[in-house]
Amino acid sequence: MSDPLIRRRDEIEYETVDAADGLEKGVLVSDDHGAPHFAIRRFVLEPGAEVPKHTNDVEHEQYVLEGEYTVGIGDEEYVVEAGDSLLIPAGTVHWYRNEGDDPGAFICAVPNGDDEIELLE
């Protein structure tokens, strides 16, 4: 059984994501913090940033916190904004592009374990 956990905003360290220029990730809660099943991460997609087409080994549930940006899922493109939710099934090709003047930010929940990314471009 896990112990309860509170992590404060100033405890979260953000790092650049190697797969994309202008994308940062902060791990909010994961197995490193005692979460037994899922990890939640916060991503920031800077203006002009693009994340290339890729797949992941695990599903992604996302919730858009701020901004507006384009997400490609399979062969479709969607403009998403604060309050929108997404499900990206494991193995599904997806990508991101922020053509706006403001950063986009989203929460992403994934099962704990290896979240290997495969770039397609």
Side-chain angles (χ1 to χ4, degrees):
M1 185 163 180
S2 302
D3 292 328
L5 172 73
I6 302 292
R7 294 194 74 216
R8 303 293 180 188
R9 176 188 324 211
D10 60 353
E11 296 177 78
I12 310 304
E13 293 183 23
Y14 284 82
E15 59 186 38
T16 7
V17 176
D18 292 336
D21 291 331
L23 182 67
E24 291 186 330
K25 174 178 80 172
V27 177
L28 307 179
V29 177
S30 72
D31 53 353
D32 289 343
H33 308 104
H37 304 289
F38 297 98
I40 55 173
R41 299 115 26 117
R42 183 176 187 268
F43 287 86
V44 177
L45 188 63
E46 295 296 333
E50 288 191 42
V51 178
K53 288 182 180 180
H54 65 281
T55 61
N56 296 82
D57 287 343
V58 299
E59 68 190 74
H60 288 57
E61 286 84 11
Q62 298 178 354
Y63 179 77
V64 181
L65 296 168
E66 60 187 65
E68 179 180 287
Y69 53 91
T70 303
V71 178
I73 303 174
D75 294 329
E76 300 291 327
E77 286 188 17
Y78 305 91
V79 174
V80 296
E81 61 186 8
D84 292 345
S85 301
L86 300 82
L87 169 63
I88 302 172
T92 300
V93 175
H94 58 290
W95 53 267
Y96 305 85
R97 181 178 63 237
N98 185 353
E99 296 174 329
D101 296 327
D102 299 313
F106 60 94
I107 296 289
C108 182
V110 295
N112 277 333
D114 192 16
D115 179 20
E116 189 168 328
I117 184 173
E118 181 180 340
L119 295 175
L120 303 178
E121 296 180 344

